């Protein structure tokens, strides 16, 4: 079974990993010009959010 992890980085994107390998970075600041992917706009927009980890499945 594939292990899927989604981590919300502090003041940054959602990082999606499968079996420890980064699959993508998803925007959560809504400022990206490349939605749903993160393009680093959170740094310029002053986006603030806490880090967390989202449980996908066991």
């Amino acid at each position: 079974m594939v292990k899927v992890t989604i981590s919300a980085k502090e003041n940054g994107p959602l990082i999606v990993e499968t079996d420890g390998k980064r699959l993508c970075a998803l925007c959560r600041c809504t400022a990206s010009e490349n939605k749903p992917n993160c393009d680093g706009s959170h740094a310029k927009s002053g986006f603030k959010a806490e880090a967390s980890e989202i449980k996908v499945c066991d």
Side-chain angles (χ1 to χ4, degrees):
M1 179 178 242
V2 175
K3 181 181 179 187
V4 177
T5 306
I6 302 174
S7 302
K9 298 300 180 185
E10 183 175 5
N11 305 326
L14 294 170
I15 304 298
V16 180
E17 296 178 327
T18 56
D19 291 332
K21 184 176 179 181
R22 183 182 278 196
L23 183 63
C24 63
L26 301 173
C27 176
R28 64 180 185 141
C29 74
T30 71
S32 176
E33 293 292 323
N34 193 26
K35 291 178 188 87
N37 300 304
C38 174
D39 67 2
S41 294
H42 56 273
K44 295 177 194 169
S45 70
F47 177 72
K48 301 288 182 206
E50 294 182 15
S52 65
E53 190 161 312
I54 300 164
K55 184 177 178 181
V56 177
C57 60
D58 289 327

